């Protein structure tokens, strides 16, 4: 009996202890969703100046090209004094033709001219005297003139045996070798880039061409990755009826790494246009295309597809998408899903930066 009473007392004590313990616990406080919302930077979809959005690619070529060839035919090349890549000055002898044959002809012509002059002097005072017929006197004078003219012609041809550069510039191509025979026409012996000046010739769409003007600056990226500042020299006055493209030529500075025939790209940094735009970081891309995360009035995000347009200075034009003024998550790489609650923080307006700088 005593054992039973003791067991009942223990059970009663445990029950009381458990009850007291339960009474001492507090229910956990409910979490506030707004307080736990993730802070994200947002930008407004608004008009911005997109600088450097206009670009064009094309081929590097001489601003003005000069050809060098022999003016006399039938003479053997004695020496070639220049090669591809050389910078030459106007009047510099590039090829010397063998003068031996012509020098012999000149010596003979000088003797003939001297004899003809002597014959003409002998009849200088015989006009109207009857000693010689007037026709004979005139013939001797004519022979003297013809001999002198022939001598001048041979000496002129002798001077032409030294084939000189017509302008200063850089030699782009050479086709002549010692021993070659000069001939009229055919392939020029040398091609020169006058003054070493090169330019970029690029085709552009008609709408883009309308935004280019002579004297406008452009940053040109060369095949090797270097960049130079160029100036628009010519804007084509006509559009190709087939391709609907026009050409723009950008004059470049004289540099050894600008080579004719290379491919280059120009960005017209000062050709800016105001349009609804967002920073490039705000655009996300997936299998369905481009999209942005828009923050609604309730601070919840929504995935919205967009159609993009021009790009430049870190901005992307939004052709189709959310309305102007919409708040968009600045970093598209943020791990956000439709309906997520966020704490939006307005980011500073994105300033347009130059698209490229010359090195």
């Amino acid at each position: 009996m005593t054992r039973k009473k003791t067991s009942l007392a223990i059970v009663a004590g445990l029950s009381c202890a458990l009850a007291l313990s339960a009474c001492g616990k507090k229910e956990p406080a409910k979490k506030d969703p707004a307080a736990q919302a993730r802070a994200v930077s947002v930008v407004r979809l608004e008009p911005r100046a997109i600088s450097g959005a206009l670009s064009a690619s094309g081929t590097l070529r001489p601003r003005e090209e000069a050809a060098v060839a022999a003016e006399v035919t039938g003479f053997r090349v004695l020496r070639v004094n220049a090669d591809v890549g050389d910078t030459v000055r106007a009047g510099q002898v590039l090829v010397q033709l063998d003068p031996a044959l012509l020098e012999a002809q000149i010596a003979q012509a000088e003797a003939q001219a001297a004899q003809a002059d002597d014959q003409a002097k002998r009849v200088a005072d015989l006009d109207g005297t009857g000693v010689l017929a007037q026709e004979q006197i005139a013939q001797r004078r004519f022979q003297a003139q013809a001999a002198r003219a022939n001598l001048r012609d041979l000496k002129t041809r002798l001077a032409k045996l030294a084939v000189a550069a017509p302008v200063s510039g850089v030699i782009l191509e050479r086709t002549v070798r010692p021993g070659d025979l000069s001939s009229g026409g055919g392939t020029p012996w040398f091609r020169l880039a006058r003054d070493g000046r090169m330019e970029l010739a690029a085709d552009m769409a008609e709408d883009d061409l309308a935004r280019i003007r002579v004297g406008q600056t452009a940053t040109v990226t060369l095949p090797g990755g270097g960049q130079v500042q160029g100036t628009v020299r010519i804007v084509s006055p006509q559009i190709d009826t087939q391709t609907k493209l026009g050409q723009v030529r950008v004059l470049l500075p004289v540099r050894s790494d600008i080579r004719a025939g290379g491919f280059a790209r120009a960005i017209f940094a000062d050709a800016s246009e105001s349009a609804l735009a967002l920073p490039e970081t705000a655009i996300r891309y997936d299998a369905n295309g481009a999209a942005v995360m828009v923050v609604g009035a309730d601070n919840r995000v929504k995935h919205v597809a967009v159609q993009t347009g021009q790009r430049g200075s870190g901005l992307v034009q939004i052709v189709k998408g959310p309305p102007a003024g919409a708040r968009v998550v600045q970093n598209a790489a943020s791990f956000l899903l439709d309906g997520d609650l966020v704490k939006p923080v307005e980011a500073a307006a994105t300033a347009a930066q130059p698209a490229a700088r010359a090195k």
Side-chain angles (χ1 to χ4, degrees):
M1 189 71 179
T2 304
R3 232 181 242 183
K4 187 175 182 181
K5 288 182 179 179
T6 302
S7 298
L8 290 172
I10 292 172
V11 171
L14 288 172
S15 299
C16 185
L18 290 171
L20 290 172
S21 175
C23 291
K25 286 186 179 179
K26 295 182 180 179
E27 289 191 12
K30 291 183 179 180
K31 296 180 180 179
D32 182 6
Q36 291 186 329
R38 179 180 173 184
V40 295
S41 295
V42 296
V43 292
R44 297 277 181 176
L45 176 58
E46 58 189 9
R48 291 181 172 89
I50 304 178
S51 300
L54 191 59
S55 64
S57 300
T59 305
L60 297 171
R61 68 184 196 183
R63 179 194 182 282
E64 185 176 350
E65 192 173 297
V68 181
E71 296 183 55
V72 292
T73 61
F75 293 90
R76 193 72 60 185
V77 174
L78 190 63
R79 290 186 304 276
V80 179
N81 302 324
D83 208 343
V84 173
D86 290 349
T87 299
V88 298
R89 66 182 185 279
Q92 180 177 335
V93 176
L94 305 182
V95 176
Q96 179 62 58
L97 300 177
D98 189 350
L101 179 61
L102 199 54
E103 286 174 345
Q105 293 175 348
I106 288 175
Q108 183 180 2
E110 285 176 338
Q112 293 174 346
Q115 183 182 16
D117 280 342
D118 181 66
Q119 293 292 330
K121 287 178 182 178
R122 291 184 181 184
V123 297
D125 300 325
L126 297 182
D127 292 283
T129 62
V131 177
L132 283 176
Q134 195 64 34
E135 182 178 352
Q136 291 178 313
I137 295 173
Q139 184 177 9
R140 290 189 182 186
R141 289 172 179 169
F142 173 76
Q143 289 174 343
Q145 292 175 352
R148 288 193 297 269
N150 181 55
L151 181 59
R152 285 195 302 269
D153 176 68
L154 291 174
K155 288 183 176 180
T156 299
R157 290 163 62 84
L158 179 66
K160 296 294 184 180
L161 296 184
V163 182
V167 297
S168 298
V170 176
I171 296 177
L172 302 176
E173 183 181 18
R174 165 191 160 181
T175 61
V176 64
R177 302 164 300 177
D180 285 350
L181 197 64
S182 64
S183 61
T187 304
W189 282 350
F190 293 96
R191 286 175 48 242
L192 279 74
R194 185 169 188 171
D195 300 324
R197 299 304 300 268
M198 305 293 292
E199 65 183 12
L200 171 64
D203 290 331
M204 302 183 70
E206 185 175 2
D207 292 343
D208 291 340
L209 201 67
R211 296 168 56 194
I212 303 298
R213 65 184 185 279
V214 173
Q216 188 172 343
T217 59
T219 300
V220 177
T221 302
L222 303 175
Q227 293 182 331
V228 295
Q229 290 294 111
T231 305
V232 175
R233 185 176 73 88
I234 292 177
V235 177
S236 176
Q238 64 179 356
I239 302 296
D240 188 283
T241 56
Q242 300 296 323
T243 64
K244 299 302 179 183
L245 299 175
Q247 192 174 83
V248 60
R249 300 184 191 176
V250 181
L251 185 62
L252 305 176
V254 177
R255 281 179 42 156
S256 59
D257 57 344
I258 302 179
R259 300 178 178 87
F263 184 81
R265 180 171 180 265
I267 296 178
F268 302 91
D270 55 349
S272 61
E273 183 173 326
S274 182
L276 288 176
L278 290 170
E280 289 181 341
T281 57
I283 314 298
R284 63 195 307 176
Y285 299 91
D286 54 29
N288 297 320
V292 295
M293 299 301 288
V294 177
V295 179
D298 58 356
N299 289 342
R300 294 190 180 275
V301 297
K302 182 181 180 182
H303 182 278
V304 178
V306 296
Q307 179 182 340
T308 60
Q310 295 180 351
R311 296 172 179 267
S313 59
L315 299 173
V316 179
Q317 180 188 8
I318 303 301
V319 178
K320 185 178 180 181
R327 295 181 300 173
V328 177
V329 178
Q330 187 175 23
N331 185 6
S334 302
F335 295 99
L336 295 171
L337 300 174
D338 267 353
D340 283 354
L341 185 65
V342 296
K343 187 184 297 180
V345 179
E346 291 272 353
T350 304
Q353 299 295 327
R357 292 183 180 178
K359 291 184 178 179

